[in-house]
Amino acid sequence: MYTYYRKYLCLFILLITAYQVHAQKNTLYKIQNQLDTLLNIVPLEKLYLQLDKSDYLLGDTIWYKAYVMDGTFSTPSQLSGILYIELSDNQGNIVKRARQMLFAGSIYGDFYLDPTTLAPGQFTLRAYTRWLQNFGKEYIFEQHITISGDFRQEWTVDLAPHTIDDSSGRHAIHMQMKLRNINTKPFQTKPVVVKIQEKGKNLFREKIVVDTSGILSLHFNLPKKQNLYRAEVMLFEEDILKAQFALSEGMPEKQYDVQFLPESGHWLANASNTLGIKAIDSQGKGVAARGIILNSANERIATFSTKHKGMGRVYLPPLPVDHYRARVDFADGHQHVYELPPPIVNGVILQHGATSSNRDSIHLKMVSSEEFLSQNGSQLLIGQVRGIMCYAAVVKTINTTFQSSIPRAYFPEGIIHFSLTASDGSILAERMVYNSKPKRPITAIIQTHRPTYNLRDSVALSVSVKDSSGKGVVGNFSMAITDNSQYKINKWNQNIWSSYYLGTELRGAIEDPGYYFSKKEEVAEALDNLLLTQGWVRYDQTLLEKKASFAYAPEPSFKISGTVRNAFGKAIEKSHLVLLSTGKVNLVVDTLTDENGRFVFEDFPPFDTVGFVIQARNKRGKSFNIGIDLDTDAAPPKWSPSEVAEPSHSWFVNLDTNLQQRIIDQRAYQRNLRTLLHQADPNTIMLEEVTITEKKIIKGSKNLNGPGEADQLLGEEDMVTAGSKSLLSVLEEKIKGFRVGFYPRRNGRPEFMVNDKKARLIFDGIDLEFFYDPETAVSQNDHLLFMKSYLEHYAGEDVLGVEIMYNPKYNSAYNTRFLSAQELMNISPVIGTDPVYIEITTRGGSGPFMRKTPGVVHFRPMPFSWPKEFYRPRYTTDNKQLAIEDLRSTIHWQPMMITDEDGKATISFYTSDRPGTYTIRMEGVDNDGNLITTQQELTIDDKTAKK
């Protein structure tokens, strides 16, 4: 690969002075060696997911195609063979997760958005490899997705901005809204109860009769100390909750932030400077702003205004050291004052002319202070792209200002990271510049086999991908075709090109990344503003030092590994291990541990559900005093609160007509799909699906109510999946409300509890309390530690199941069996003083005496997900007259489109029952790592084939 890119990625050493400086040359070679070592030892990957859409309705399916590429050359990654994909809500809870095998750096899959288990909101789709987990959030693919619609929602709310008067020491709020039926039927006159609540506490309540206009107007007061952002509006009709949304949704935006970012990391006193500007609202979205720069004497220094997505720049004339601030005005009339970072007196800055008319060269200017010039000799100017050094120059100046023009041909497509370094390699100033090539390396032509198409018509698309010389190329591509009448494409959305060359190189989310690759005249400056405000050093040499502490090795394939130890924790060499599968796949393999007691089982066939039993023996073939420590399987990363999706706007508040029609069509489509797939009556009203299954029970359970009769049950599947994880950890993760608390609440001792009730542990029908002697207690923590020792002794794989008896329906039988007469007199289910019983059924079945089987572990890894075929109807002469209306929003999804040696491929599908236009979006990469993204439209005539 390095040879292939030699024409771009070669080292240009330009000596600006007449003398070679030996120290700088040595520093240059040192930096080059560091970068080369970094690429070899800490190679990076880049990840991109093409989705069929960027926002969804409940009942939709998210269809995705994943591309895992080399971080420097964009060819399919040779490093990772397994990919993890997650969908999490705005609380950080993972609602969907998949593990998939990669084939030549790509795979496709889907997440069904089940309306019976998911709620509308803002979600985050993430994809990563184990290797990428070492580098932090910025290296992981992430896309925020809005999921709207709810089959149970009947009302929409047109909400006007609230009027809030705080002058009288209270919040005097005027709220006005219009209620509508989501199905567009006329609104009926009816009484509506409006409640303003915070965590179930009523702050305001009023009953209003709303006529057919749906207009509802409210005036109410709230205490000044009330946090309005925590309050909710609830609308009831005949005690039925019809709509609920945050009070803040109608509040005017007051929370803004503006950052002023010096061009090369700092700004220099007594020199001309440029500061990048980024203005955002409380949701982190860019907003328009304008303002003035003032000095300490309140004199105007400069003016500015933001441009695309709240980003811009301000030019400062040479200024002395002083206290500077910006007075900023926003579009809604609010005004705020922000402090500017202080200037430095002695140093150097690196500047770039973003709007230069010379498109063949990059113009850089180095400006230094007189003191810096007198104290320093020559410096190194280095330009690197994705970790490859493409340019280096030794710079020795005699003036405080020096300008350089560097040919763009020296660099490939992408962000160039220029750095000015001292002779010891320390960075003095940095600047990022985007290098755009006039032509893309490959292009795609999509042609239809006929000029026009009707409803329910068969369409064939011929795809031809060629390089700049017109030769066909072999590549791996994906295509999504969507109905514009139901889903409006944002042409500036992220695509594989903007993701690889821009998104993966910058910190933070980029709004409308596709905009920066459009042909608009103002794009060059807008892109440079983006680099001024969100640029960062991705290829950091300090990664070489951090590699020793990396938690995850590259994962080319699935493996099971661990260490065999004796009772004293010493690793056992040449221990013989046998692995047996317990699922549908029959597998028996064996291996020996190395000198460190380590073992690895690998080269597994892909599996969806399977468990394993691993048995170890010592050199004498015995399992006495021997244990197995398995390496952890792919646990999902834990995201901090700042890394989860922002709380979303309620989809039914100020619902636009296009989305409303999509929701109406979605309901009809889901009903029609059920009719097609399950022969259901198309006139049946769609309700929440209720699946009746056989009651789950635990084999060998001593449950006094009968097996399975409990408030919550953790079955064998849950326990085997937990593997060697302690039973205590399983209970903490799986039982809602399980915690350590104080019981009784006042002057109590720490105890395990479930919500407000003290937990009592029963092992195979035997009460653990029988073995506790309070007379021997040495502290108030003694009882808790006693119970904890048992829960930590057992692993999940040692247990067949756990049943939780919380409510009187289930715990009363246990009260009668295990509590003394005095204890029975002192409990009350009303005030929550009765215990919650946790019945634990062990594999040994002999109560809290079981010892683990020596040398044996049970392991059930996260299963692999298999790609599903996109459902598409096939209309023939016989079924074109079906009365069921076809209202698909995603008309076709072709995730794996491989072009032949001539660069050709053919795609076929059927149109739906909606006339209008379809948008075709194609993305992918050829075998040489050249990326492509293209988009065009297809028109469908209103000539139905139905008779």
Side-chain angles (χ1 to χ4, degrees), residues 372-527:
F372 177 87
L373 188 65
S374 63
Q375 292 176 346
N376 292 271
S378 56
Q379 296 88 43
L380 277 173
L381 177 62
I382 295 171
Q384 57 169 296
V385 179
R386 296 189 293 281
I388 295 289
M389 188 185 295
C390 305
Y391 173 88
V394 179
V395 180
K396 184 174 178 62
T397 62
I398 57 175
N399 297 314
T400 56
T401 301
F402 176 83
Q403 298 191 55
S404 177
S405 183
I406 307 169
R408 288 184 178 272
Y410 290 175
F411 307 95
E413 178 89 27
I415 295 176
I416 309 169
H417 173 222
F418 285 107
S419 56
L420 193 65
T421 69
S423 57
D424 61 357
S426 60
I427 296 176
L428 303 171
E430 297 177 288
R431 184 64 159 92
M432 292 189 179
V433 178
Y434 193 86
N435 189 48
S436 180
K437 293 295 181 180
K439 290 185 179 180
R440 296 196 175 182
I442 59 174
T443 57
I445 299 174
I446 304 173
Q447 294 180 313
T448 58
H449 73 300
R450 293 206 316 263
T452 60
Y453 293 95
N454 298 326
L455 306 185
R456 299 196 178 186
D457 209 347
S458 176
V459 181
L461 301 179
S462 297
V463 179
S464 178
V465 184
K466 299 182 181 296
D467 62 17
S468 57
S469 67
K471 182 182 178 181
V473 298
V474 178
N476 178 8
F477 307 96
S478 46
M479 180 182 289
I481 304 171
T482 51
D483 181 357
N484 292 348
S485 68
Q486 298 188 68
Y487 171 68
K488 186 65 175 175
I489 296 286
N490 177 3
K491 62 181 178 180
W492 306 134
N493 271 345
Q494 179 177 228
N495 55 52
I496 194 170
W497 187 277
S498 65
S499 174
Y500 189 89
Y501 289 116
L502 203 60
T504 55
E505 297 284 312
L506 298 180
R507 187 183 297 277
I510 302 173
E511 294 183 70
D512 292 348
Y515 168 83
Y516 299 102
F517 297 95
S518 65
K519 296 182 179 179
K520 294 179 177 290
E521 290 185 4
E522 67 272 16
V523 159
E525 184 176 353
L527 179 53

Side-chain angles (χ1 to χ4, degrees), residues 84 86 94 97 99 128 130 133 552 632-638 725 862:
Y84 301 88
E86 298 171 357
I94 296 175
R97 189 168 189 245
R99 168 158 64 179
Y128 55 89
R130 292 291 288 274
Q133 284 184 255
Y552 306 99
T632 57
D633 194 32
K638 293 187 185 229
K725 190 181 295 184
M862 176 186 176

Side-chain angles (χ1 to χ4, degrees), residues 901-941:
E901 293 181 354
D902 296 322
K904 297 184 180 300
T906 301
I907 305 301
S908 62
F909 59 93
Y910 285 86
T911 63
S912 69
D913 283 339
R914 280 283 175 83
T917 57
Y918 295 162
T919 295
I920 303 169
R921 290 178 296 116
M922 173 181 163
E923 301 185 46
V925 57
D926 72 7
N927 287 355
D928 290 327
N930 296 310
L931 306 177
I932 191 171
T933 176
T934 188
Q935 181 173 307
Q936 67 184 61
E937 291 191 341
L938 173 67
T939 300
I940 309 300
D941 291 338

Side-chain angles (χ1 to χ4, degrees), residues 675-689:
T675 303
L676 282 171
L677 298 180
H678 306 294
Q679 289 77 48
D681 182 353
N683 296 315
T684 301
I685 298 174
M686 183 170 65
L687 301 174
E688 291 188 40
E689 182 179 355

Side-chain angles (χ1 to χ4, degrees), residues 761-780:
L761 303 180
I762 312 296
F763 283 83
D764 298 319
I766 300 175
D767 186 7
L768 188 60
E769 293 296 321
F770 178 81
F771 302 95
Y772 178 69
D773 183 3
E775 298 296 328
T776 62
V778 295
S779 73
Q780 68 169 359

